[in-house]
Amino acid sequence: MQPAALISRSLKECEAGAVETRKVFLPEEPVLQEIFKFAAPKWTCLQWSTLPQVKGFSMFWPRLPLSHSLHCLLTVDCVIISTLTFSTPLLTAKMVRGSKPLTLYSHCFLSVLMLKSCWLQGSTSQKPAVLADSQQGSQEYTHSIRLDGDIILGGLFPVHARGERGLPCGELKKEKGIHRLEAMLFAIDLINKDPDLLPNVTLGARILDTCSRDTYALEQSLTFVQALIERDGSDVRCANGDPPIFAKPDKVVGVIGASASSVSIMVANILRLFKIPQISYASTAPELSDNTRYDFFSRVVPPDSYQAQAMLDIVTAMGWNYVSTLASEGNYGESGVDAFVQISRELGGVCIAQSLKIPREPRPGEFDKIILRLVETPNARAVIMFANEDDIRRILDAAKRNNLTGHFLWVGSDSWGSKISPVVQQERVAEGAITILPKRASVDAFDRYFKSRSLSNNRRNIWFAEFWEENFGCKLGMHGKRPGSPKKCTGLEKVGRDSIYEQEGKVQFVMDAVYAMAHALHHMHRELCPGYLGLCPHMTNIDGKELLTHIHAVNFNGSAGTPVIFNENGDAPGRYDIFQYQINNRSVAEYKVIGHWTNQLHLNMEALQWATGDLSLPASVCSLPCRTGERKKVVKGVPCCWHCERCEGYHFQASEFTCELCSYEKRPNQNRTGCQPIPIIKLEWHSPWAVVPVFISVLGIIATTFIIVTFIRYNDTPIVRASGREVSYVLLTGIFLCYIITFPMIAAPDIVVCSFRRIFLGLGMCFSYAALLTKTNRIHRIFEQGKKAVTAPRFISPASQLVITFSLISVQLLGVLLWFAADPPHTFVDYGEQRTQDPENARGVLKCDISDLSLICSLGYSILLMVTCTVYAIKTRSVPETFNEAKPIGFTMYTTCIIWLAFIPIFFGTAQSAERMYIQTATLTVSLSLSASVSLGMLYMPKVYIIIFHPERNVPKRKRSFKAIVTAATMTSKLSHLAAERPNGEVKTELCEGMEASVPPPKTTYVSYTNHAM
């Protein structure tokens, strides 16, 4: 059995009173089920089943009091339910989201909607007669405005606020409702009078109240689709057997509205099913820009994505990077905040501290909780608000109650704009708020029109009487809407004279929306009906898709003189005015324009004014900017919050988030924003580390020069000759070089100085110790030879001594030459020697390329000579002091060894010291000078003393043969051994007895053996 027959039989049973519940088809399509639920909120589901003939449907029927609605069921709805079918153009229309074609599913679904519509009329007549046109019309238009015309436009306006306690509608909204509604009526009047726009075509209207509720608006918008449903009553008769007669509904070709984004989304879902274009004057949710879901939706206001970008630009211009967001629950608030958050994440630089939502039905104390939650992040003072004006007002009031006036920096969307109602009696807490509003201008013609409206000339507006009562605070008769008002309306009141009047902000956009529809119809008429007066047959049934194409193609100057155009998504371009709520010196609060936004921000920073009176911008940042030389260490997950860390050591601030190490030869500058060369130093002559060595060296040079001059002058005297003149001069030359090396060691390094250092560093010691080694070796060989034979050893003549000495010196010179060849001298800057923890104290030391290893090698040979000489000095320690210089040389070498043993730990132990250059240079030069001074003092000062002060002792003595010299030395050696073995006194007796006749008188004698043959 077909579904229509099933329902027809069920209705007959209902008529007979057999049963009280019935079944109709409910589609499985989720979106349509949701719409069905909203359209019939009071129906109770009693039974569910599935018909085998219609797959995917369930059975559903409302329990209706027969006494209340039987008449409606029998006269109209019984036929509608059983025989409704779609007209041919709709058979292939797509469902919401483009899922399924409208087939029998929608047939049954819309039957239920029409049943609900009839039931809502609330007819109580028991007369089973067919409804006349006038009778139905009187009931159908009691809650809507209807203007006759050739083309009918629908209108959706929030005439009333959302109801409470289960009621669909609440109090009247004078500005958002009546002003906007009258703007549409005014625009239609102007178009109908315009001979150039739709000539000979009259626009009509069907205007409904959405009551600021999306579900109620959806229910009301079903009125716009009735004309697109073909109703067939051939199979059903009413109670008296007559066929039903249907009143012909108005065919709506386009809809102006709605206001709230949530309402527009709900209505757009059903209007697109019937290809009815829709132009909104206030809905700004970004979601509506999706032309795959809302392809028949357009708007003359820019979407919130533009608004969110403009608000983000404002926040960025203020230097606020840590903000909270606050949204009213619903498409407008949530979509706006989502767009702001998304853009801020894509562009970076702004972080969201908290995202809070205001419930649709807030409980008592809800706004105080929201304010306290916002205070949990005190640094996020800026609050981005996408909220309706009622929520804005209550948020401001909660901030005032919690003594937070002046704490928050409000940034309001176009729902705040430049409205007075949210800030009434809350001026102080709202002071400094920055708001945004689509660029608009007051329409003066509308002001004149609206101020001329009265009860007598505005009967077409069924809500105008209610507005009259609300606006003037009076009561119209016994059936007025303000029963508690003591004042009665006279009807002579005048808008703007007896009440405060200010044009509502969206009036311009309402008029632009109506004109956009009219221009699209005008272009369509010129295309389809060229030269035809009035509507031609081609426009009898206007194709919504074709009309939509003309809507997107319109381009005209709107009521404010700004262009009205649409992009491919049906959106208007973004043009905004930026306001700040300020209190001037006269304590008068007002919105002041501080800039505008058209794809980019233009803000007059000098026009800003804050509650504190300070000209500087208030802060809304998570962390204060880091000081110069500090990097940001970002808190994980919150890129706008960071800790500041100073770039330590030799690091400088390379970027906002990184510190980098300066190159080795540089150090950070004072503010650590870059690097600068490390200062280069060298040992200065005036430094204490240089003055002392130079002083010692100068004294030594003077003394050495004096001795050399003395020896040259007294070259032929016995003392000079006895000391071995030739080797002595070599030794004095070495001593002089040891003193002179101090100067190249302290002088500023260059290639010449470095060359001198290499040459003379070890050469002076080599000269000295080669000469001393030759002397001690000669003495040792002489006395060792005397023990074996009376003949003199070889190579003891002066010439032989010089050859031996220079042979030893040549080894040092050869090593220096090889060093020069392998590594030519050059200078370099040592940045590691004085690289202190504090870069401010870092210095680069200009040096010669003499490493510690090179120094050891250079001095090593001289030290080897010194050690060898010391060994010989030890071996010849028992030689009588009357025989040459064996003992003075011994004492010299012992002292020199002590000096250099002390030098080694001092020199190498200070390698890590910051004063390394000074200590090592001073230690080396002083050690060389001391070594030379010891040799000079012990070997030559006694001789010079005798030469100058006791010349009587500088006389020649008798010559002795080599045999006599060796015999005397041998006897002296033996006596020395005996003295070590006998008690005190015995030795002296033995010596006196055995040698009394042969020992010469106690007198120092200088024995010369320089003339012995080799």
Side-chain angles (χ1 to χ4, degrees):
M1 183 179 293
Q2 295 299 319
L6 282 173
I7 297 174
S8 178
R9 189 178 70 178
S10 298
L11 286 174
K12 291 178 181 178
E13 293 175 358
C14 176
E15 180 182 354
V19 291
E20 207 175 25
T21 61
R22 288 295 177 267
K23 305 175 182 179
V24 293
F25 301 112
L26 178 66
E28 286 184 341
E29 178 63 39
V31 175
L32 292 181
Q33 283 186 5
E34 184 179 4
I35 297 174
F36 179 87
K37 178 183 67 176
F38 289 147
K42 296 182 180 179
W43 294 2
T44 306
C45 179
L46 299 178
Q47 183 178 357
W48 294 88
S49 63
T50 303
L51 285 179
Q53 297 92 337
V54 186
K55 183 180 178 182
F57 276 81
S58 297
M59 301 300 291
F60 182 87
W61 186 255
R63 183 193 299 271
L64 298 176
L66 293 179
S67 61
H68 177 72
S69 56
L70 184 59
H71 165 76
C72 175
L73 290 171
L74 293 178
T75 57
V76 178
D77 289 325
C78 59
V79 179
I80 295 173
I81 292 173
S82 60
T83 61
L84 273 179
T85 58
F86 286 103
S87 59
T88 303
L90 292 174
L91 289 176
T92 59
K94 297 296 181 181
M95 303 291 283
V96 174
R97 304 177 190 273
S99 56
K100 299 177 182 177
L102 289 173
T103 58
L104 183 58
Y105 295 21
S106 299
H107 164 105
C108 301
F109 164 65
L110 288 170
S111 301
V112 176
L113 295 184
M114 298 310 298
L115 172 62
K116 171 63 178 172
S117 176
C118 180
W119 179 57
L120 287 175
Q121 293 174 18
S123 173
T124 57
S125 172
Q126 302 298 320
K127 186 167 66 172
V130 178
L131 291 176
D133 289 353
S134 61
Q135 188 179 5
Q136 185 183 12
S138 63
Q139 296 179 8
E140 185 180 4
Y141 304 133
T142 54
H143 297 291
S144 66
I145 296 176
R146 182 178 184 275
L147 297 181
D148 290 329
D150 301 321
I151 298 175
I152 304 299
L153 301 181
L156 292 172
F157 294 92
V159 180
H160 292 87
R162 182 181 307 185
E164 297 179 356
R165 300 184 183 88
L167 297 176
C169 301
E171 62 183 8
L172 183 78
K173 301 180 81 169
K174 295 190 298 181
E175 289 82 12
K176 284 183 128 181
I178 299 301
H179 282 208
R180 295 178 181 180
L181 183 153
E182 286 291 343
M184 179 174 179
L185 295 176
F186 177 57
I188 290 176
D189 291 343
L190 293 178
I191 293 168
N192 288 336
K193 294 176 183 177
D194 191 342
D196 298 324
L197 186 60
L198 288 174
N200 300 311
V201 177
T202 303
L203 287 182
R206 184 72 184 277
I207 301 175
L208 305 174
D209 180 11
T210 65
C211 290
S212 305
R213 188 186 295 270
D214 49 5
T215 55
Y216 185 80
L218 175 65
E219 191 174 317
Q220 293 293 299
S221 65
L222 296 176
T223 306
F224 299 145
V225 302
Q226 291 182 30
L228 299 177
I229 301 172
E230 182 180 326
R231 291 174 284 188
D232 183 9
S234 59
D235 293 341
V236 180
R237 295 290 183 271
C238 290
N240 61 357
D242 295 334
I245 300 174
F246 300 98
K248 184 179 180 180
D250 294 322
K251 183 177 181 181
V252 175
V253 300
V255 174
I256 306 300
S259 176
S261 295
S262 57
V263 174
S264 289
I265 289 173
M266 190 70 74
V267 172
N269 279 322
I270 193 169
L271 292 183
R272 73 184 296 269
L273 289 173
F274 299 93
K275 298 183 179 178
I276 300 177
Q278 174 187 2
I279 302 178
S280 173
Y281 50 82
S283 298
T284 56
E287 182 180 352
L288 288 165
S289 295
D290 185 358
N291 60 2
T292 61
R293 296 177 58 192
Y294 307 103
D295 47 345
F296 281 83
F297 178 86
S298 304
R299 49 187 162 189
V300 291
V301 288
D304 284 338
S305 55
Y306 293 153
Q307 184 174 199
Q309 179 66 64
M311 296 173 75
L312 180 64
D313 290 346
I314 293 171
V315 168
T316 304
M318 295 295 174
W320 301 336
N321 64 4
Y322 196 50
V323 302
S324 296
T325 62
L326 187 58
S328 292
E329 187 176 7
N331 290 98
Y332 171 77
E334 295 176 38
S335 299
V337 165
D338 289 344
F340 181 88
V341 172
Q342 181 180 354
I343 296 173
S344 65
R345 286 176 179 171
E346 291 175 355
L347 299 180
V350 176
C351 298
I352 309 302
Q354 297 188 73
S355 285
L356 305 182
K357 189 185 298 182
I358 302 171
R360 291 181 188 268
E361 305 293 340
R363 291 173 292 184
E366 188 73 34
F367 290 92
D368 290 316
K369 292 180 182 177
I370 292 174
I371 288 296
L372 293 177
R373 283 195 60 187
L374 289 174
V375 177
E376 290 176 3
T377 51
N379 288 345
R381 295 178 59 193
V383 180
I384 312 301
M385 297 183 70
F386 282 86
N388 59 58
E389 59 184 279
D390 293 334
D391 289 342
I392 294 171
R393 184 181 66 253
R394 287 182 281 186
I395 281 290
L396 294 177
D397 186 50
K400 183 179 179 181
R401 283 196 305 272
N402 287 274
N403 296 321
L404 290 171
T405 299
H407 174 75
F408 294 109
L409 305 169
W410 310 106
V411 181
S413 63
D414 61 348
S415 60
W416 185 337
S418 58
K419 295 174 184 173
I420 299 298
S421 56
V423 296
V424 172
Q425 297 180 351
Q426 297 174 142
E427 290 81 4
R428 289 295 176 185
V429 72
E431 184 179 3
I434 297 175
T435 61
I436 190 172
L437 194 63
K439 187 177 286 291
R440 60 175 186 171
S442 180
V443 183
D444 296 336
F446 176 80
D447 290 340
R448 294 191 295 270
Y449 161 80
F450 194 79
K451 290 179 181 180
S452 68
R453 297 296 89 190
S454 65
L455 293 173
S456 59
N457 63 13
N458 199 21
R459 294 185 181 276
R460 62 183 179 180
N461 186 346
I462 63 171
W463 296 289
F464 197 72
E466 186 179 352
F467 166 78
W468 199 267
E469 290 184 328
E470 185 73 23
N471 191 53
F472 297 109
C474 59
K475 177 182 176 183
L476 284 170
M478 296 179 60
H479 302 287
K481 297 290 185 178
R482 296 173 60 90
S485 177
K487 177 183 175 183
K488 288 189 177 182
C489 301
T490 63
L492 300 177
E493 294 87 358
K494 189 171 180 61
V495 175
R497 184 192 65 187
D498 302 318
S499 65
I500 298 175
Y501 167 77
E502 183 179 357
Q503 187 181 123
E504 201 276 332
K506 295 293 193 299
V507 164
Q508 167 200 341
F509 299 110
V510 174
M511 296 181 65
D512 288 345
V514 177
Y515 266 90
M517 192 72 75
H519 278 279
L521 289 168
H522 181 74
H523 295 155
M524 188 176 185
H525 181 268
R526 287 194 305 178
E527 183 178 307
L528 299 178
C529 309
Y532 198 93
L533 296 178
L535 292 180
C536 64
H538 291 92
M539 288 190 68
T540 303
N541 291 315
I542 295 176
D543 183 9
K545 192 158 186 138
E546 187 175 358
L547 177 59
L548 178 66
T549 303
H550 286 285
I551 289 174
H552 285 178
V554 299
N555 187 345
F556 65 96
N557 287 330
S559 54
T562 55
V564 176
I565 55 175
F566 301 97
N567 63 13
E568 65 277 5
N569 296 323
D571 295 330
R575 293 187 292 263
Y576 296 96
D577 283 325
I578 301 168
F579 299 86
Q580 187 182 37
Y581 191 66
Q582 299 179 355
I583 300 178
N584 59 29
N585 296 332
R586 300 186 301 275
S587 298
V588 176
E590 61 180 352
Y591 289 98
K592 184 176 180 181
V593 177
I594 59 171
H596 65 276
W597 189 93
T598 307
N599 295 326
Q600 62 180 359
L601 180 65
H602 301 276
L603 197 62
N604 182 9
M605 304 298 286
E606 296 179 357
L608 293 171
Q609 179 178 311
W610 307 101
T612 58
D614 193 353
L615 296 178
S616 61
L617 294 176
S620 180
V621 294
C622 181
S623 302
L624 294 175
C626 292
R627 292 176 296 181
T628 304
E630 295 180 339
R631 75 176 183 94
K632 294 179 180 178
K633 185 178 182 182
V634 178
V635 177
K636 188 176 181 179
V638 190
C640 297
C641 298
W642 58 78
H643 304 294
C644 294
E645 290 187 349
R646 183 166 178 79
C647 298
E648 297 293 343
Y650 289 83
H651 291 79
F652 72 99
Q653 185 183 1
S655 68
E656 191 176 6
F657 302 98
T658 58
C659 292
E660 292 184 2
L661 185 65
C662 291
S663 58
Y664 196 67
E665 71 278 3
K666 294 183 178 181
R667 66 180 182 184
N669 55 22
Q670 190 69 30
N671 54 15
R672 291 185 176 270
T673 57
C675 297
Q676 62 184 10
I678 295 176
I680 298 174
I681 61 170
K682 61 185 185 304
L683 186 58
E684 301 293 342
W685 293 104
H686 55 77
S687 170
W689 297 100
V691 170
V692 173
V694 168
F695 178 72
I696 296 174
S697 178
V698 169
L699 291 180
I701 290 172
I702 294 173
T704 305
T705 304
F706 177 74
I707 292 173
I708 293 174
V709 171
T710 302
F711 264 52
I712 293 174
R713 182 177 179 184
Y714 297 97
N715 188 55
D716 293 326
T717 60
I719 291 180
V720 174
R721 295 179 63 189
S723 64
R725 290 175 296 183
E726 295 79 6
V727 177
S728 292
Y729 287 130
V730 174
L731 178 57
L732 288 171
T733 302
I735 292 172
F736 184 84
L737 291 177
C738 287
Y739 284 124
I740 207 70
I741 191 63
T742 299
F743 296 95
M745 292 299 294
I746 295 176
D750 55 30
I751 294 178
V752 175
V753 171
C754 293
S755 300
F756 277 115
R757 287 187 186 182
R758 286 192 182 190
I759 295 171
F760 295 112
L761 182 60
L763 190 60
M765 290 180 63
C766 184
F767 266 77
S768 299
Y769 299 122
L772 288 176
L773 176 59
T774 301
K775 277 193 174 187
T776 53
N777 174 265
R778 178 171 177 269
I779 295 172
H780 177 264
R781 287 190 295 111
I782 288 173
F783 287 99
E784 287 296 319
Q785 180 67 21
K787 295 177 183 178
K788 300 175 184 177
V790 296
T791 60
R794 302 172 61 189
F795 309 119
I796 62 173
S797 66
S800 301
Q801 298 299 297
L802 287 177
V803 171
I804 295 172
T805 301
F806 282 110
S807 297
L808 294 174
I809 293 172
S810 65
V811 175
Q812 174 75 19
L813 292 174
L814 179 62
V816 172
L817 290 175
L818 293 175
W819 187 8
F820 269 79
D823 183 18
H826 62 273
T827 61
F828 74 100
V829 179
D830 185 357
Y831 293 99
E833 180 173 320
Q834 294 197 25
R835 194 175 181 85
T836 58
Q837 293 291 333
D838 185 2
E840 288 296 318
N841 298 326
R843 299 291 185 271
V845 181
L846 182 62
K847 287 184 173 183
C848 290
D849 60 327
I850 302 177
S851 63
D852 290 345
L853 179 61
S854 301
L855 179 67
I856 292 173
C857 293
S858 179
L859 295 177
Y861 180 66
S862 299
I863 292 174
L864 177 63
L865 294 177
M866 180 185 69
V867 172
T868 306
C869 186
T870 304
V871 171
Y872 277 111
I874 293 172
K875 288 183 178 182
T876 59
R877 67 185 183 279
S878 58
V879 174
E881 62 182 32
T882 57
F883 295 97
N884 267 308
E885 302 163 312
K887 283 185 170 46
I889 291 175
F891 288 126
T892 299
M893 299 316 301
Y894 306 152
T895 308
T896 303
C897 287
I898 293 172
I899 291 173
W900 286 99
L901 286 175
F903 162 80
I904 292 173
I906 295 174
F907 186 88
F908 294 101
T910 58
Q912 303 302 321
S913 173
E915 305 291 331
R916 172 185 174 183
M917 176 188 67
Y918 306 109
I919 296 174
Q920 290 187 344
T921 302
T923 302
L924 179 59
T925 54
V926 169
S927 297
L928 288 169
S929 297
L930 288 179
S931 299
S933 299
V934 168
S935 300
L936 197 65
M938 290 190 175
L939 296 178
Y940 293 102
M941 291 306 292
K943 295 181 175 62
V944 172
Y945 176 76
I946 292 175
I947 292 173
I948 295 176
F949 297 104
H950 296 283
E952 72 279 2
R953 296 172 59 182
N954 188 14
V955 293
K957 301 296 180 181
R958 62 185 178 89
K959 294 185 179 180
R960 303 172 66 185
S961 65
F962 176 77
K963 180 179 179 180
I965 294 170
V966 173
T967 301
T970 302
M971 291 299 296
T972 304
S973 177
K974 289 180 179 179
L975 290 176
S976 299
H977 285 296
L978 289 174
E981 295 173 1
R982 301 288 181 88
N984 293 338
E986 295 181 9
V987 176
K988 182 178 179 180
T989 304
E990 184 176 336
L991 289 172
C992 292
E993 292 176 354
M995 298 185 63
E996 188 175 13
S998 61
V999 174
K1003 183 178 179 181
T1004 302
T1005 304
Y1006 292 90
V1007 179
S1008 175
Y1009 42 87
T1010 58
N1011 294 323
H1012 290 288
M1014 292 180 61

